[in-house]
Each structure stands twice: as C-alpha cells, then as structure tokens.
Amino acid sequence: MHEWIAILDFGSQYSQLIARRLRERRVYCELLRHDTTAARLRERPPRGIILSGGPASVLEKGAPGCDPGLYAMGVPLLGVCYGMQLMGRDLGGAVRPGEKREYGLARLEVLEADALFRALPETMPVWMSHGDQVERLPPGFRALARTATCPHAAMADDARRMYGLQFHPEVVHTPHGGEILNHFLFNICGCSGDWRMSSIIEERVAQMRERIGGEHVILGLSGGVDSSVVAALLHRAVGDRLHAIFVDNGLLRYKEAEQVRDVFANTFGVDLRAPSAGPLFLERLRGVTDPEQKRKIIGRTFIDVFADEARKLGPVRFLAQGTLYPDVIESASPIGGPSATIKSHHNVGGLPPDLQFELVEPLRDLFKDEVRQMGRELGLPESIVDRQPFPGPGLAVRILGEVTPGAVETLQQADLRVQEEIAKLPAHREIWQAFAVLLPVRSVGVMGDGRTYENVVAVRAVSSQDGMTADWYRLPYETLDAIARRIINEVRGVNRVVFDISSKPPSTIEWE
Ligand code: XMP
C-alpha cells in the first residue's frame, strides 16, 4: 500500500491548497469529508491525518466535527486553524470565541524550536484567518509558539503525535509553512516522499490494463489538456484498443483540428476518428443568435456526431473521461452537504440508450498541474499540455450573434494574432485565457482615401486560479498596440479593436 495522508476537509478555502502542498512534496494525499470515520480510514491506513481549517466556529451548535475515533488511531494528527480548535475542544481544552483582530498577518514567536519548528527562525510571519483560538491547552499538550494576541499559536503532544497550528502553513503568506509541513510529513509521519510522476504513470497504466482487460475503450478527445492526457495514457495502456473520437465542429481555433490529428494520429498512432462536422454544426446554427440556444444546438449536435461515430465501432464496453480531482472532491461545506461539482460540459453526457458504457476516469485523483506534468512525461507537445482552457461550444460563444462561416474565419484570423502576440510575452503563463471576440456591430473607419464600415473585435485577457473568478489582465500597451495593428491591417472585415476591462464577477470570461 502506498503511503498517503488523509486531509479531512472542514470547508476552508485553503483545503485544496494543503493537498497541493503535500503533493508538491511528493506525498500522496486525499481530501476527504470531515466526517470520514476512523473505521473507514483503518481499511487503508494513512501515515497521518490533517484536520483542515474551516469557516465555522467549534463553539457553535452543529459545527462540523470529526469521528472521535480518529484521536485513538495512533496515527499522527495535525490540526490547522479550525482543525486545531476542534482538537482543543474534543481533547479537553477550552476554545474562546474570536475577535477580528487576530485575522491576517501575525508575527509568530517560536517557544520551542523542536518538533514542527526545528531549525526555523525564532520569529516569523504567519497567516491567521480565524478569530477563535485554543485558550486552555488540552491535557498532554504544550505550546510551541505564540503571537501577541494568541498565546497558543501552535501546540504539541509528542507522546500521542498530535499537533495544532492556529495559522495556515499552506498559504504563501506563511513563508516557512512549507518547512513546518515537511517536519510533520517526514519527521513525524515518517513519509518518504516517493510519489513520482513516472511511478504514477506506471501504476495508472497497470490499473487501466487490468480494468480494461481485452476490451475496447472509447474516448471523446477535445484537444484540451485533460482528454489529451487520457488519450496518451490509455494508448500506452491498451494501444489500438483505444478509439479516440475527435468531433471537429468547425468552431475551433485556427489549425487546431489539424494539430490534434497530427499529434494523435501521426505522432502517437492512436486510432483517431475525426469526423469533419463543421458544415453540419454551421447549418444547424444558421439564423440562431440566442446564446443558450446556440449552446444547446452545439451540445446536441456533438452527441449526434459522437454517437454516429461510436456506433461504427460496434459494441464497446468502456468510455474514458478526463475527470480531474477538483471535480470530484466532496467538499465539506458546513452549511450544506457534499458540494461535488461535476463539469458536465466536458463529459460526454446524454448519450442515447443504445450507447451505454462503463466509465473509466484515470485522472480522477489528480490536480491540473499534475495532469500537465503527466502529459509532458507521456510526450505530449507543450502546445497541448500548456493549452489555455477553451469552451466546449468553441468560437460560437465568441461570435456574438449569428455564427456564419465568414464570421468563424474572421475570428480565427483575429484570434491567431492575439495568440501570437501573447506568446511573445515572457509572463504569458500568468494569463489564464486570452482571446478575440467578434462583435456583431460595425463602425466607421478610414483606410487610404476611403471610408470603411466594418466589424469590431474585442480582445479579452484574464488572470484566474480556476475560472470561477477572474481579473482582466494588464497587458502591456505595446502588446495591445501590436494586436490591434495586426488585426486591423491583416484581418479582412475588421477596422476597430477594443480591449475588455471587465472582471468576473460581475462579467463572465466568455462573452456568451
Ligand atoms: P465563464 O464565461 O462562465 O467561463 O466565466 C469560465 C470558464 O469556463 C470556460 N467555459 C466553458 N468550458 N464548456 C467548457 O468546456 C462551456 O460551455 C464553457 N463555457 C465557458 C471558459 O472558457 C472559462 O475558462
């Protein structure tokens, strides 16, 4: 059994960050519901358990708790923020209600440079985000550190290997947080940190071989990172028993369909079925201007084309999907139950009854950056691994109004200029998405001696962590200038370029 750490999630915005930090240290971990029982953990014993932070107060009735059995498992325990307060309460200490002033940056004074603080400075900045604190330590614990307003900012019971931190070691505002986590993982839990991408790939390939056996598997390949990595992985696992279906909906970026065909069919030798369905999509979109209507038509048409292609293969048992960890984590919101989000738009949902498959989801426990790393190790080109998110309905949601063949071509050309200029920026990785939008308005311009009356292109560039919120990206004036000049000079039918300076919320990233 591979070593792992269980993180029980009490709903903090930072819970996923704890998982990221552990995995960066090559320690495999899983985020579990806060009420996961000791009995369940014993089935597959973790090396350690972390109780995450959370927005509730342990002093409130109905505050989320953990199975008291966890405290008797003999497995090292680290409570972070709410997790520490919970330990304080459950193990016989006292918690006092919060005051706002303990929020934010604080200076930590280390009282004992041992256990979690070995070889660290005597004082250090730490990030606090909860007012409640452990006022009286539970029996057996001693204080390891304090701040001006919090006498027990870290606590330890070495005999039982239980630790608590009032602050968040996982955030960047706690610069020594990584070392504190290292002490917990490697000295206290005895982890070896041997979780390597190469071994994950090997393990995954073996699992997929076993699961799929001599059967066949279908994959809906979108050209995005996730499905591309699934394709590369499954191809390694089952070779030509993988059948990838790439629906070319005619709404992709410039040369994107060619690139996908080239990489998968030519370089990897995947059995790639790539029906060119652009004309069908455009015909069904003719005259449609309502954004929701467009999305529905595209979704339905995708299913039709995909199903036709799948039927040609005869009966196939498995369907592979590029579901990622953030889509399946059952996060423990103290207010509601599990809030698992399913990104249905990426998945091949709603298939007709004659096409029913068993799902295989080989990336289900990985974060996006891990999937990218896996893609690189599997030999996918950077242009795919580092690709920006791209909406399923493609350019149709970036052509406001009716989607015509001419509009698609104009937008592809304008967008190509945006991509080329953005790629020149040294910091282009800070940009979550950058693209062009074709507006259904025309404005007056002059070209040479003549007057023009042509379309407007909007340029959108945003920074974001996960697409849920986004800020408009401060592109350098020179980049904006180059984009505008090139689009106006080189793309027919466009005589004006504007830059979108709205953030999400209240705007969205896409325009439709
Ligand atoms: P919005 O426009 O809602 O977009 O701020 C958030 C993120 O989701 C992407 N997006 C989609 N992705 N199918 C997808 O696969 C869709 O229908 C879709 N709509 C938006 C968008 O590009 C951004 O990254």
Side-chain angles (χ1 to χ4, degrees):
M1 200 6 252
H2 206 83
E3 68 178 26
W4 72 290
I5 299 282
I7 303 167
L8 301 200
D9 183 7
F10 291 89
S12 159
Q13 54 174 327
Y14 301 129
S15 298
Q16 284 199 25
L17 206 49
I18 302 181
R20 303 283 306 279
R21 294 287 170 260
L22 266 52
R23 290 181 177 202
E24 281 163 19
R25 295 175 159 69
R26 303 189 182 283
V27 174
Y28 181 69
C29 61
E30 288 179 22
L31 267 172
L32 304 173
R33 284 180 54 104
H34 65 87
D35 51 6
T36 304
T37 62
R40 192 170 141 211
L41 289 177
R42 259 189 229 99
E43 292 166 10
R44 187 166 59 104
R47 284 281 169 91
I49 299 170
I50 296 180
L51 308 178
S52 86
S57 165
V58 299
L59 301 168
E60 284 162 12
K61 260 185 88 161
C66 66
D67 175 3
L70 296 182
Y71 300 120
M73 283 180 75
V75 171
L77 210 58
L78 174 67
V80 172
C81 191
Y82 182 87
M84 169 177 181
Q85 292 144 20
L86 195 67
M87 288 167 76
R89 186 196 72 181
D90 291 354
L91 296 170
V95 176
R96 101 174 147 68
E99 295 166 34
K100 271 272 183 235
R101 67 198 163 97
E102 278 102 5
Y103 276 69
L105 267 188
R107 180 144 287 275
L108 187 81
E109 189 188 333
V110 177
L111 302 170
E112 230 186 272
D114 205 14
L116 297 176
F117 297 97
R118 188 167 302 156
L120 294 185
E122 279 166 26
T123 67
M124 63 181 91
V126 296
W127 185 258
M128 304 276 207
S129 77
H130 209 295
D132 288 2
Q133 47 177 267
V134 177
E135 187 170 49
R136 192 184 69 238
L137 294 174
F141 281 84
R142 64 188 196 289
L144 293 181
R146 66 178 176 213
T147 69
T149 55
C150 178
H152 306 136
M155 64 177 192
D157 175 348
D158 293 318
R160 286 188 289 174
R161 297 190 296 174
M162 291 184 185
Y163 302 85
L165 299 172
Q166 172 71 19
F167 57 90
H168 288 273
E170 68 275 21
V171 303
V172 289
H173 312 294
T174 304
H176 290 284
E179 289 145 282
I180 296 171
L181 288 173
N182 283 347
H183 287 317
F184 179 70
L185 297 173
F186 302 114
N187 303 338
I188 295 164
C189 299
C191 291
S192 56
D194 62 354
W195 193 64
R196 293 270 184 291
M197 195 41 77
S198 52
S199 49
I200 303 164
I201 292 175
E202 258 171 54
E203 170 204 279
R204 233 24 76 94
V205 165
Q207 280 170 357
M208 288 296 123
R209 276 194 190 132
E210 172 160 344
R211 172 91 197 277
I212 296 163
E215 305 272 346
H216 290 246
V217 55
I218 288 186
L219 167 71
L221 183 67
S222 71
V225 186
D226 311 342
S227 62
S228 296
V229 173
V230 173
L233 187 74
L234 286 180
H235 186 249
R236 186 173 286 194
V238 301
D240 58 8
R241 279 180 289 110
L242 166 70
H243 311 282
I245 299 179
F246 170 68
V247 174
D248 178 358
N249 58 12
L251 301 165
L252 301 169
R253 280 163 293 192
Y254 182 71
K255 297 269 190 220
E256 196 169 9
E258 284 88 333
Q259 194 208 1
V260 170
R261 280 197 207 101
D262 186 52
V263 168
F264 290 98
N266 304 341
T267 314
F268 277 83
V270 169
D271 173 33
L272 181 72
R273 321 277 168 122
S276 298
L280 176 65
F281 279 83
L282 286 172
E283 184 195 305
R284 293 196 185 169
L285 285 168
R286 193 183 307 145
V288 180
T289 54
D290 176 64
E292 273 313 298
Q293 211 39 38
K294 283 187 193 173
R295 280 176 182 269
K296 280 202 187 105
I297 291 171
I298 293 167
R300 266 201 309 268
T301 308
F302 174 86
I303 296 289
D304 290 348
V305 177
F306 184 90
D308 276 353
E309 209 57 40
R311 283 191 192 101
K312 290 182 194 160
L313 286 161
V316 169
R317 177 150 165 213
F318 295 102
L319 177 72
Q321 291 195 333
T323 316
L324 303 195
Y325 199 38
D327 307 318
V328 297
I329 292 173
E330 291 185 8
S331 100
S333 147
I335 318 133
S339 57
T341 51
I342 307 295
K343 53 171 177 179
S344 52
H345 49 257
H346 283 191
N347 296 342
V348 190
L351 285 170
D354 66 309
L355 287 174
Q356 294 300 321
F357 303 99
E358 288 173 42
L359 277 188
V360 287
E361 299 175 306
L363 311 180
R364 235 182 118 77
D365 58 353
L366 300 179
F367 286 108
K368 192 89 176 184
D369 53 328
E370 294 164 346
V371 168
R372 290 210 163 95
Q373 200 189 334
M374 181 180 267
R376 288 193 181 98
E377 298 210 12
L378 287 165
L380 288 173
E382 214 50 31
S383 54
I384 285 189
V385 170
D386 214 18
R387 180 162 287 180
Q388 293 176 357
F390 187 67
L395 298 182
V397 293
R398 297 178 181 171
I399 294 169
L400 275 63
E402 187 185 356
V403 184
T404 62
V408 172
E409 203 189 318
T410 304
L411 183 56
Q412 281 178 335
Q413 290 298 329
D415 188 66
L416 176 65
R417 272 74 187 173
V418 175
Q419 304 309 330
E420 286 175 350
E421 293 307 317
I422 295 288
K424 293 180 188 164
L425 285 175
H428 71 269
R429 283 208 167 78
E430 287 172 9
I431 300 171
W432 170 264
Q433 275 171 295
F435 54 86
V437 180
L438 185 62
L439 305 186
V441 286
R442 287 193 290 168
S443 78
V444 173
V446 281
M447 204 165 283
D449 296 332
R451 177 181 171 284
T452 58
Y453 187 51
E454 292 174 334
N455 277 102
V456 180
V457 159
V459 175
R460 181 94 164 120
V462 296
S463 54
S464 172
Q465 291 301 313
D466 51 12
M468 302 299 284
T469 60
D471 193 11
W472 65 276
Y473 188 82
R474 273 59 171 175
L475 283 177
Y477 283 162
E478 299 71 40
T479 304
L480 286 171
D481 184 55
I483 289 173
R485 280 175 196 279
R486 287 196 57 200
I487 292 177
I488 293 167
N489 290 335
E490 299 168 19
V491 181
R492 278 181 49 167
V494 180
N495 68 355
R496 193 173 296 268
V497 171
V498 296
F499 185 47
D500 180 351
I501 51 168
S502 22
S503 289
K504 172 183 180 176
S507 300
T508 50
I509 296 176
E510 304 292 345
W511 277 46
E512 278 192 346

